[in-house]
Amino acid sequence: KIWKKYYVTKNFMCLFFSLLMLEPRGYPCQNVNFILPAIDPEAAFGYVIAEQNAVYPAMSGHNTICVATALLETGMVPMHEPVTTFN
């Protein structure tokens, strides 16, 4: 699975990274989450975190919360009351 992250960060994200993270839109403390199709059949989606200086960390709690919120708020993952769970 790590090969997909490597491929995406080296080939696909360079353009989007530059557009979103660098001036005039970006600033030094900014990061972005790229939501991708899941490669694990049990997962709803996958995502790659991009930070300034072309850093792609393996995990970030606040980014994970942001991705989960975006998936639920946009309806990409359906909400179920009283508790919604997904992988």
Side-chain angles (χ1 to χ4, degrees):
K1 295 177 183 178
I2 194 72
W3 63 268
K4 185 172 185 180
K5 178 181 174 184
Y6 177 80
Y7 176 83
V8 168
T9 57
K10 296 301 178 201
N11 297 291
F12 169 71
M13 290 197 196
C14 292
L15 171 66
F16 292 107
F17 183 88
S18 297
L19 289 172
L20 296 171
M21 301 292 283
L22 304 177
E23 295 289 346
R25 293 164 202 83
Y27 66 97
C29 296
Q30 186 167 334
N31 57 48
V32 64
N33 301 307
F34 294 99
I35 299 174
L36 305 168
I39 55 175
D40 184 333
E42 294 185 20
F45 287 91
Y47 69 99
V48 174
I49 304 162
E51 296 180 352
Q52 285 288 345
N53 299 321
V55 175
Y56 300 94
M59 184 59 188
S60 171
H62 69 277
N63 288 64
T64 301
I65 292 169
C66 291
V67 168
T69 301
L71 292 172
L72 291 168
E73 293 284 330
T74 60
M76 294 172 72
V77 172
M79 290 189 207
H80 303 285
E81 295 293 336
V83 177
T84 301
T85 59
F86 62 93
N87 295 331

